[in-house]
Amino acid sequence: MTEANTEPQDVPTPTNFLSEIIAEDVRTKKFGDAKVQTRFPPEPNGYLHIGHAKAICIDFGLADQYGGKTNLRFDDTNPEKEEQEYVDSIQADVRWLGFEWDRVCYASDYFGQLYQWALELIKAGNAYVDDLTADEIRQHRGTLTEPGQDSPYRNRTVEENLDLFVRMKNGEFPDGTRVLRAKIDMASPNLNMRDPVMYRILHAEHHRTGDEWCIYPMYDYAHGQSDSIERVTHSMCTLEFTDHQPLYRWYIEQLGIFPSQQIEFDRLNITYTMLSKRKLLQFVQEKVVRGWDDPRMPTLSGFRRRGFTPEAIRAFCAAIGASRTNGTTDIEMLEHFQRDDLNRRSSRTMAVLHPLKLVLDNYPEGAEEMMEVANNPEDPTAGTRQVPFSRELYIEQDDFREVPPPKYYRLSPGKEVRLRNGYFVTAKDVVKDAAGNVVQVHCTYDPASRGGNSPDGRKVKSTIHWVSTAHAISAEIRVYDKLFTKPDPGDFAEGGSVLDNLNPNSLEILTDAKLEPSLASATCEDRFQFERVGYFTVDPDSAPGNLVFNRTLPLKDSWAKIEKKAGA
Ligand code: ATP
Ligand code: MG
């Protein structure tokens, strides 16, 4: 800390190994006077998921922290899998998460420059056209313990290579007949350095460049140079690229271009969650879920529809930080951050998901009254609202037992409970249907207990919620559970698939929920706590008079318990 005075004022305290590296580079002026520049480089082949949120928070967050900028770069070198729909959704999701890029860039904008650089590498004797098939190239590559073998085409002359490469570009050869390879070292202990492929022939329509190109660069040949073109100083990516870093540097050094620096951090894995766009695409295509934004999907659009907030997701990402080894994070931790956020800001309302009729025999027939209720006890500025009360109410089926089990303190014959924001009531009698199910509970209420306290100071052990039947609105409620039954969805028997671990009960649709009337004016993405039940949000499938709610989360928070167990 004593050194702080000699350091530039605007360097904040490092918080993890990434910010330590950047702080040091800023201090030593590793990139001269260049500002910190980062990029977030999604491939537009699917929707963003919570793992991408982590990368976004790192890329944008660190640039922000050091007064730099971030580009949104589409890594669109794979024309067969990429689509404009994904480009659009990615932009919407990054903004929803709360970040704004400096520029939108596309690797495809650099196809011309990358091609020129490939010609340069050929001329310098550092790249050659290979006629081996993909299979043969694989066979020649060797293994971790054995060196690879040179391709018989490795020593073509520069002239021959130039001629063939230009003709590849001009479309003279069918797909897969030739590739351009970097000429590095077939005996390198790093397999990525054994003459990696730079270009492949692919007569495919690209979502931006159309049929302008029939050769496409490989990820490794495109990524570092794209970084360099954008003068990215710190190129953060996940750990599986660690072994690619020597190649990333090799291209930049051979070409003598801006020395962007790759730094790897741990990939986010979450229990009960599959974070692979390929798998998520499969769920969408096979209709395992209703779409990319199905509230059970770990996509940002899925979380959004489920009622998650960008603030909670950012807080979660800040808490998990970044490290140099991969691990797995409990889904309960993410849920904990979401509950915390919703607890602070969501309005409390009353809703009955599984209605049972309750009649107050001594309440005047036809009468009604308004109860004044606080919107959010956590937030006094949230104000109050009027909730209608009358002789007939709905309560949850679960809140009544004709024969109460031990320690059941809710309503049962002869027992008194508090109706939240209402009165004390005592159950007297029940009405049953032909099958013997209780369909109505008859109670008496104590008029002196209005607001929820009795003047004689007698206590009740339980408070239950209710909705006046005459004033209730009906709604559809979608109750979600985990999409998978196993903490590691990838844990399946040989020959099986992740689909074997699907939770058959991940969605339950309740069509007869009864809600307090104030909810009639709720609109899409409004978020509520239904008291004693959970957090809910309005689904875009809602239509006027036909509300649909998604359960974001139940109230119970098991994270504290997990943390305690881990500490013990
Ligand atoms: P997926 O395997 O889901 O397809 P990807 O890495 O192929 O992911 P990209 O679109 O290439 O997806 O990723 C864009 C950026 O997001 C990359 O920098 C990548 O490292 C990062 N990223 C992707 N998944 C995760 C994750 N689970 N945790 C952290 N960062 C991730
Ligand atoms: Mg990828």
Side-chain angles (χ1 to χ4, degrees), residues 140-196:
H140 279 69
R141 180 157 295 148
T143 63
L144 283 174
T145 50
E146 280 179 31
Q149 286 172 345
D150 286 1
S151 160
Y153 304 98
R154 194 172 198 261
N155 292 316
R156 278 176 160 153
T157 63
V158 168
E159 289 67 35
E160 196 183 355
N161 282 319
L162 280 176
D163 172 64
L164 285 170
F165 185 54
V166 170
R167 288 167 61 195
M168 274 169 66
K169 183 213 173 220
N170 290 343
E172 288 188 29
F173 311 121
D175 290 359
T177 51
R178 289 189 162 87
V179 292
L180 183 71
R181 297 177 73 174
K183 194 170 179 177
I184 307 179
D185 179 6
M186 287 306 292
S188 171
N190 182 339
L191 270 69
N192 294 296
M193 300 298 274
R194 292 185 188 170
D195 292 10

Side-chain angles (χ1 to χ4, degrees), residues 66-225:
Y66 293 94
K69 291 180 173 165
T70 305
N71 291 339
L72 174 60
R73 158 135 36 87
F74 290 100
D75 228 318
D76 55 350
T77 54
N78 227 337
E80 288 168 310
K81 293 186 175 160
E82 296 160 2
E83 286 176 27
Q84 188 61 38
E85 177 195 348
Y86 301 139
V87 170
D88 297 339
S89 74
I90 287 169
Q91 299 197 23
D93 288 346
V94 171
R95 286 205 165 113
W96 176 76
L97 198 55
F99 296 100
E100 192 56 55
W101 48 85
D102 182 38
R103 291 190 292 143
V104 178
C105 306
Y106 295 84
S108 56
D109 285 342
Y110 311 139
F111 282 171
Q113 176 67 74
L114 292 169
Y115 175 73
Q116 291 303 321
W117 279 336
L119 294 174
E120 250 179 62
L121 290 173
I122 294 173
K123 286 178 194 157
N126 285 327
Y128 62 97
V129 173
D130 196 348
D131 300 358
L132 292 183
T133 64
D135 269 349
E136 288 166 332
I137 289 179
R138 215 169 297 127
Q139 283 156 19
H140 279 69
R141 180 157 295 148
T143 63
L144 283 174
T145 50
E146 280 179 31
Q149 286 172 345
D150 286 1
S151 160
Y153 304 98
R154 194 172 198 261
N155 292 316
R156 278 176 160 153
T157 63
V158 168
E159 289 67 35
E160 196 183 355
N161 282 319
L162 280 176
D163 172 64
L164 285 170
F165 185 54
V166 170
R167 288 167 61 195
M168 274 169 66
K169 183 213 173 220
N170 290 343
E172 288 188 29
F173 311 121
D175 290 359
T177 51
R178 289 189 162 87
V179 292
L180 183 71
R181 297 177 73 174
K183 194 170 179 177
I184 307 179
D185 179 6
M186 287 306 292
S188 171
N190 182 339
L191 270 69
N192 294 296
M193 300 298 274
R194 292 185 188 170
D195 292 10
V197 173
M198 294 165 57
Y199 272 94
R200 62 207 194 281
I201 301 173
L202 198 63
H203 292 265
E205 173 110 354
H206 187 281
H207 72 108
R208 293 189 77 240
T209 60
D211 56 9
E212 190 183 341
W213 295 90
C214 63
I215 55 170
Y216 288 95
M218 303 301 287
Y219 172 89
D220 279 328
Y221 180 65
H223 199 90
Q225 286 89 299

Side-chain angles (χ1 to χ4, degrees), residues 40-43 49 51-52 55 236 238 265 267-268 275-277:
F40 170 62
E43 186 183 347
H49 53 58
H52 294 112
M236 270 81 68
T238 34
F265 63 87
R267 219 179 159 78
L268 176 65
L275 294 182
S276 148
K277 277 185 283 181

Side-chain angles (χ1 to χ4, degrees), residues 12-36:
T13 323
T15 53
N16 62 36
F17 82 97
L18 293 171
S19 48
E20 273 168 27
I21 291 172
I22 296 178
E24 181 65 6
D25 291 348
V26 169
R27 197 181 66 78
T28 62
K29 289 187 177 282
K30 176 168 174 177
F31 297 94
D33 288 325
K35 290 250 185 214
V36 169

